Amino acid sequence: MKTDNQNKKTGRKPAARKPKLLPIIKNDPWLEPYTDAINGRHQDYIRKLADLTVNCKSITDFANAHKYFGLHRDGNEWIFREWAPNASAITLVGDFSNWEQRPEFGLKKLDGGVWEVRIPATAISHGQLYKMIVEWPGGKAERIPAYANRVVQDPHTNIFSAQVWEPATAYKWEHDKFTPDTKPLLIYECHIGMAQEREGVGTYEEFRTEILPRIAADGYNAIQIMAIQEHPYYGSFGYHVSNFFAASSRFGTPEELKHLIDDAHSLGIAVIMDIVHSHAVKNEAEGLGRLDGSYDLYFYGDNRREHPAWDSLCFDYGKNEVLHFLLSNCKYWLEEYHFDGFRFDGVTSMLYYNHGLGQAFGGYGDYYNGAQDTNAITYLTLANTLIHQINPKAITIAEEMSGMPGLATPVADGGIGFDYRMAMGIPDYWIKTLKEKKDEDWHPTSIFWELTNRRADEKTISYVESHDQALVGDKTVIFRLIDKEMYWHMNKDDGDMTVARGMALHKMIRLVTLASINGGYLNFMGNEWGHPEWIDFPREGNGWSHKYARRQWSLVDNGLLKYEWLNNFDNAIIHLVSNVYNFQALPIRKLWEKDNDQILAFMRGDLVFVFNFNPAKSFTDYGILAPAGSYRTVLSTDNPDFGGYGNIDEKVEHLTQHDELYAPAGVEWLKLYLPARSAMVLRKKRAAPRKK
């Protein structure tokens, strides 16, 4: 082989060296044309990681802004610091100063736009309220510190203030060695404030004592909690965050949230936080907007500052100080509250300069055309690196609809590093099917393709519906199926056929979605048993009513209504799947699909899932090709305990029938009775070991 020096002597140019392919490209040859872009993103991450850690050992050591900024007790004094380079003066005011600006509470400016004040420990007490008076050239205003870890609202004036939170006794964790069970991950999505039945705002304590036991009994092994970070407008569902380090005080105290998480861990339930780093509330009095009078402290200062669809502010991920803030925020929630991971909201909005609005994403070129926000991609990659350094078992989930490759691929392989991505196309598919297709046009080939169409190297969270489908302006699956008949025909002795159809399809949709997961499954609280009506938070348009911002558990508890049957079914399918170790990783083997009959059958491990979506035809001795052997029914949607008619005899043992034509493939005919609009799960009996 000629060396470069030899090539110089002969006058020949050295052969161009092909860039080393990252595993993400090796796993998907269709990505090879975009090698430069993918390598470029990965190198951006590597350079930024080196930049941030030049003066510390790791990204974990870097992400300690919350330990430096904000109000902290240090021996015989309080130390308060704030990053506010545009400020000309800052003074702490509060209960301790009679809300007056006093010299002893004035901050001094240090290097790098940092301000600091040291105050005797006796001057400030636990529970007192405080703010900053920030002055800048041409302006002056009250501000809540960026790193405040407790923010409360005055019930009379509705004004928010930071609160000194230094209880005499720190919370003592009882279950601090918890490891999440993710094989499979079964998520119960929930909202603390609307989890109770009474009309009002629920509390951490109510959720801990009344809702957690339900979730444990249901068989879910994780909860995903919305609206934890403090937000001034309750009706924002927690997505317009004002105070990123403060757990919402409208639900209770920090210790009560910790107790909730501790109890969840004692029940084997992981706790995932719905974290919002994609944008922030515009409010200046409560949030980060113009904290020091400038427009570009944490956010873009140009036309990218305001989100065009969300009426919020967009972070400038190109600033190291912003990365310091957001990465430290991730670390804070993991360490201070023992959260087991995060579902990152609004990731699509972060990835693209146009926030993904009005874009179809029809091919790979749409992910590498220069319209991507490299700074945001770098931040998300750093965040996943940090989170998994702190807790290798932590769970990270991306709420993302564009389908960008590599989002849920390990960072070392060239990906962004999330453990899972939300399969957002699935609920959209079910809604579109319910809205636009007649029952006889439900095609198993379409259903199976939609549920299994995903990248082989990325795990997804499958779901029928989340909170999005329950908000005012939309309908839950059960409400689309049954609508107003729910108000009159849900008694168990009522034979209304609209309700019967709706319940049958509700069960089948959930079973086929859960049975085809490759990562995890998610359900929003109450939807598992068909909670009626929508979610509508108190607002001016409804007279500030809490009537629809709650869950009516009495409907499923009273024993007289069909909701109990739907709940029984959900419990059954969740327990069935959770009792199969690594169910989500078992290969899906399609056994049968026939659109004319509307029959679908597939196998995972020793379980066979069979669906008859036909609204009118029941089939006797319907043949499905399956591995030879004996099968027993372990679950049927037609079971009376689930609101069915009991037409399937679950005690029958099904023996496959030999057919010479298919013998070489090792399959035989499995003959089954399949009632219309029903599904069943069979387990193949394992052969007895041969005697020696």
Side-chain angles (χ1 to χ4, degrees):
M1 181 182 290
K2 290 187 184 322
T3 65
D4 285 353
N5 286 334
Q6 288 173 317
N7 281 320
K8 287 176 183 176
K9 292 177 182 178
T10 61
R12 296 176 182 174
K13 292 183 179 180
R17 295 174 180 172
K18 287 188 176 182
K20 184 179 179 181
L21 294 181
L22 289 162
I24 184 178
I25 304 172
K26 291 180 181 178
N27 294 338
D28 184 356
W30 291 98
L31 288 174
E32 195 162 345
Y34 311 102
T35 296
D36 289 345
I38 294 170
N39 283 340
R41 291 177 186 177
H42 192 64
Q43 290 303 314
D44 285 339
Y45 154 74
I46 291 173
R47 283 191 294 270
K48 181 57 70 173
L49 180 63
D51 179 28
L52 299 180
T53 58
V54 67
N55 294 318
C56 55
K57 296 179 181 178
S58 67
I59 192 72
T60 306
D61 293 327
F62 169 77
N64 281 323
H66 57 293
K67 298 180 180 180
Y68 180 79
F69 293 106
L71 182 66
H72 299 281
R73 178 74 173 268
D74 185 14
N76 293 323
E77 64 180 359
W78 291 93
I79 303 176
F80 176 79
R81 300 186 186 96
E82 189 72 43
W83 177 57
N86 189 56
S88 53
I90 301 178
T91 307
L92 276 186
V93 296
D95 295 335
F96 44 79
S97 69
N98 200 28
W99 294 93
E100 298 173 352
Q101 286 183 269
R102 295 181 181 175
E104 62 267 32
F105 296 112
L107 279 67
K108 294 181 180 179
K109 193 169 187 178
L110 309 179
D111 294 336
V114 177
W115 294 76
E116 178 188 270
V117 64
R118 294 173 181 264
I119 304 164
T122 55
I124 298 177
S125 303
H126 169 69
Q128 290 184 320
L129 304 181
Y130 69 100
K131 289 186 179 182
M132 303 183 297
I133 298 292
V134 182
E135 300 176 50
W136 61 85
K140 174 180 178 180
E142 287 187 349
R143 293 287 186 261
I144 293 176
Y147 290 83
N149 59 13
R150 172 77 171 167
V151 175
V152 297
Q153 184 178 25
D154 187 290
H156 304 293
T157 65
N158 292 326
I159 293 174
F160 284 85
S161 301
Q163 186 176 37
V164 180
W165 202 256
E166 191 78 9
T169 304
Y171 183 81
K172 185 177 181 181
W173 294 91
E174 295 184 6
H175 304 277
D176 56 356
K177 301 295 182 182
F178 177 77
T179 300
D181 175 10
T182 59
K183 299 181 178 181
L185 181 62
L186 303 168
I187 304 172
Y188 198 85
E189 186 187 27
C190 50
H191 183 286
I192 300 296
M194 60 170 289
Q196 79 304 323
E197 182 148 4
R198 63 179 173 80
E199 294 188 27
V201 179
T203 67
Y204 298 126
E205 276 293 286
E206 285 176 308
F207 190 94
R208 180 182 70 83
T209 59
E210 298 175 18
I211 310 304
L212 269 181
R214 287 182 181 273
I215 298 169
D218 287 345
Y220 291 87
N221 57 23
I223 54 175
Q224 181 176 297
I225 311 181
M226 306 169 60
I228 290 296
Q229 294 169 294
E230 191 60 84
H231 46 289
Y233 178 45
Y234 186 46
S236 75
F237 233 48
Y239 290 121
H240 276 194
V241 175
S242 52
N243 314 106
F244 287 77
F245 289 85
S248 182
S249 60
R250 57 171 54 86
F251 308 134
T253 68
E255 286 67 38
E256 287 167 343
L257 174 56
K258 292 174 183 178
H259 195 177
L260 186 164
I261 295 170
D262 213 3
D263 272 17
H265 289 168
S266 74
L267 295 169
I269 297 172
V271 186
I272 301 166
M273 176 177 163
D274 199 343
I275 199 167
V276 184
H277 282 180
S278 48
H279 62 135
V281 74
K282 287 173 66 174
N283 303 36
E284 296 177 1
E286 293 87 10
L288 298 173
R290 298 197 69 197
L291 186 110
D292 66 352
S294 65
Y295 288 90
D296 61 351
L297 183 64
Y298 287 97
F299 311 105
Y300 292 107
D302 54 17
N303 61 349
R304 296 183 60 198
R305 185 174 189 265
E306 295 192 16
H307 196 290
W310 294 348
D311 193 33
S312 55
L313 303 180
C314 299
F315 285 106
D316 182 352
Y317 304 104
K319 277 189 173 182
N320 284 1
E321 294 87 352
V322 174
L323 297 181
H324 202 198
F325 178 84
L326 294 175
L327 290 170
S328 299
N329 192 237
C330 294
K331 183 177 181 179
Y332 170 79
W333 292 108
L334 289 172
E335 293 192 339
E336 181 67 21
Y337 284 91
H338 292 202
F339 278 99
D340 300 294
F342 305 101
R343 179 262 204 186
F344 278 72
D345 178 69
V347 171
T348 306
S349 177
M350 300 171 70
L351 296 178
Y352 304 95
Y353 292 127
N354 66 359
H355 305 291
L357 298 172
Q359 192 169 340
F361 299 103
Y364 277 2
D366 293 331
Y367 308 119
Y368 307 103
N369 59 8
Q372 294 71 39
D373 189 333
T374 302
N375 291 333
I377 293 171
T378 299
Y379 164 65
L380 290 170
T381 312
L382 289 166
N384 277 293
T385 300
L386 167 73
I387 292 163
H388 292 108
Q389 270 189 19
I390 295 170
N391 180 5
K393 298 294 184 180
I395 300 161
T396 60
I397 305 168
E399 191 239 5
E400 206 280 320
M401 52 71 62
S402 78
M404 178 180 281
L407 194 66
T409 300
V411 173
D413 291 350
I416 296 176
F418 285 98
D419 297 304
Y420 305 88
R421 66 189 309 154
M422 302 292 291
M424 299 183 72
I426 293 177
D428 289 345
Y429 173 83
W430 286 125
I431 288 175
K432 186 178 178 65
T433 298
L434 291 169
K435 288 173 65 176
E436 300 178 4
K437 292 189 177 182
K438 296 182 292 186
D439 291 6
E440 52 267 35
D441 293 333
W442 288 32
H443 293 157
T445 52
S446 171
I447 293 170
F448 187 79
W449 186 88
E450 184 64 45
L451 295 178
T452 58
N453 177 34
R454 54 210 172 199
R455 296 182 60 80
D457 59 347
E458 298 190 56
K459 293 182 292 185
T460 61
I461 301 295
S462 300
Y463 58 111
V464 174
E465 55 193 333
S466 69
H467 64 270
D468 290 333
Q469 285 75 37
L471 292 169
V472 165
D474 208 336
K475 292 182 179 180
T476 60
V477 166
I478 196 70
F479 217 55
R480 286 196 181 279
L481 287 165
I482 302 177
D483 209 80
K484 66 181 185 300
E485 305 305 321
M486 293 188 74
Y487 297 120
W488 315 108
H489 300 290
M490 289 301 283
N491 286 322
K492 287 182 176 179
D493 58 359
D494 191 317
D496 183 84
M497 294 309 297
T498 298
V499 172
R501 168 190 175 267
M503 289 183 61
L505 291 176
H506 191 269
K507 290 179 288 185
M508 294 181 71
I509 290 170
R510 274 168 161 67
L511 178 59
V512 72
T513 303
L514 172 60
S516 56
I517 62 172
N518 80 325
Y521 175 78
L522 176 142
N523 167 74
F524 181 70
M525 64 177 185
N527 285 353
E528 72 277 12
W529 51 266
H531 193 287
E533 300 173 328
W534 49 85
I535 297 170
D536 187 13
F537 273 77
R539 55 189 173 84
E540 188 175 3
N542 65 15
W544 302 103
S545 170
H546 289 81
K547 182 178 180 180
Y548 297 108
R550 60 193 181 110
R551 299 282 90 177
Q552 300 179 62
W553 303 107
S554 59
L555 295 176
V556 72
D557 289 344
N558 68 22
L560 301 175
L561 303 175
K562 296 174 184 178
Y563 301 107
E564 182 183 13
W565 289 338
L566 294 177
N567 194 62
N568 290 344
F569 180 75
D570 194 76
N571 288 182
I573 62 174
I574 292 295
H575 283 95
L576 175 69
V577 167
S578 63
N579 285 329
V580 179
Y581 179 73
N582 241 0
F583 175 84
Q584 80 292 342
L586 297 174
I588 301 177
R589 177 181 178 180
K590 189 196 302 179
L591 302 179
W592 194 267
E593 61 178 2
K594 192 170 183 181
D595 285 346
N596 288 345
D597 295 336
Q598 296 182 266
I599 303 295
L600 171 67
F602 56 87
M603 191 171 189
R604 301 194 79 166
D606 58 3
L607 294 178
V608 174
F609 299 85
V610 187
F611 300 85
N612 178 8
F613 288 99
N614 199 302
K617 290 184 181 179
S618 296
F619 298 94
T620 302
D621 290 334
Y622 193 94
I624 292 167
L625 288 169
S630 171
Y631 294 80
R632 287 231 180 232
T633 304
V634 293
L635 184 142
S636 163
T637 63
D638 199 49
N639 189 304
D641 289 342
F642 309 144
Y645 299 101
N647 290 321
I648 294 176
D649 188 346
E650 298 180 36
K651 296 179 181 179
V652 172
E653 182 176 0
H654 300 275
L655 299 174
T656 55
Q657 299 176 21
H658 181 75
D659 186 330
E660 197 63 36
L661 181 63
Y662 299 100
V667 294
E668 297 182 343
W669 289 106
L670 177 61
K671 298 294 186 72
L672 302 169
Y673 173 57
L674 304 178
R677 285 202 192 106
S678 73
M680 60 193 303
V681 184
L682 303 102
R683 176 172 281 121
K684 185 178 184 294
K685 187 176 180 181
R686 295 177 183 175
R690 293 181 179 179
K691 294 182 180 180
K692 293 183 179 179

